[in-house]
Amino acid sequence: NRQLYESLLQRFKELSAAAGITSNTISLVDVAEAPRKPATPNPALNMAFALGAGLILALLYAYVRELIDDTVRDPRDIESRLQVPLLGVIPEFSGKLRDALDAPHSDVSEAYHAVRSAIELASTEGIPSSLLVTSSGESEGKSTTSYVLAWDLARLGRHVLLVDADLRRPSLDRYLDVPPDVPGLSSVL
């Protein structure tokens, strides 16, 4: 058994040694050299392409945004976009409205007088028998403009009926010192 074992072990060692030896079919033709510069990516070309594409996309975005933007940024936009005449522009003011209107040459007083004159001259019949003051948003001066126009027309001797039809947030009562217990438009309706 011992002899058989040693014979098998010898044969195993021979086979293991023969398995580790492989035939070498590789031959060295040229020595490999490291490249002097990378073949790809080309940073200068990539940066130029990115800059050009970014510029084109930015110009396209700005053009499309301007094309679909219908925001009124300038008072003259109203005439061109809505095809209605511009009656006037009222500047923003701080402080009491009555003080701004009582000053004869204040910007606010002049602007409201210009709006009233534009309304008066808008038709051949003069001031229309009814006016509606409205806007697309809240706190844009609808009540103030209504009040000032009614006050200005009343000073000219015209008969004026001012109706605050803002059922959510009526505010003309603070200009006219109306007591809180007086019924409003919704009560009348």
Side-chain angles (χ1 to χ4, degrees):
N1 283 341
R2 180 87 178 151
Q3 194 176 20
L4 183 61
Y5 170 73
E6 286 179 10
S7 161
L8 284 173
L9 185 62
Q10 182 64 26
R11 182 74 181 141
F12 176 73
K13 287 181 184 177
E14 288 174 6
L15 285 174
S16 295
I21 300 173
T22 57
S23 62
N24 192 358
T25 57
I26 300 173
S27 59
L28 183 62
V29 176
D30 234 350
V31 178
E33 294 180 15
R36 291 183 194 89
K37 62 177 183 170
T40 184
N42 186 346
L45 182 64
N46 288 351
M47 289 296 284
F49 177 73
L51 181 68
L55 186 63
I56 289 171
L57 286 175
L59 289 173
L60 183 65
Y61 172 75
Y63 175 73
V64 168
R65 185 168 178 179
E66 185 66 28
L67 189 66
I68 63 173
D69 184 21
D70 60 353
T71 306
V72 176
R73 290 191 177 88
D74 187 49
R76 292 175 294 226
D77 289 348
I78 293 172
E79 292 178 334
S80 64
R81 291 186 185 187
L82 301 178
Q83 305 300 320
V84 295
L86 178 66
L87 297 176
V89 177
I90 308 299
E92 287 188 40
F93 65 94
S94 59
K96 291 191 170 191
L97 177 65
R98 181 63 78 179
D99 294 339
L101 294 174
D102 286 340
H105 298 294
S106 72
D107 292 341
V108 175
S109 176
E110 290 291 325
Y112 278 117
H113 289 311
V115 169
R116 191 224 354 114
S117 298
I119 292 171
E120 198 169 13
L121 299 173
S123 70
T124 57
E125 290 86 29
I127 295 179
S129 60
S130 63
L131 291 173
L132 171 70
V133 178
T134 187
S135 71
S136 60
E138 60 183 44
S139 299
E140 290 184 341
K142 300 177 288 291
S143 299
T144 305
T145 301
S146 304
Y147 169 73
V148 173
L149 288 175
W151 180 69
D152 202 15
L153 290 171
R155 280 188 10 192
L156 292 175
R158 310 234 184 205
H159 296 285
V160 177
L161 172 64
L162 182 60
V163 178
D164 189 358
D166 190 351
L167 298 178
R168 286 182 292 156
R169 291 182 44 205
S171 59
L172 279 175
D173 55 343
R174 68 176 175 221
Y175 294 124
L176 302 171
D177 297 327
V178 176
D181 58 342
V182 173
L185 179 63
S186 61
S187 301
V188 173
L189 291 176

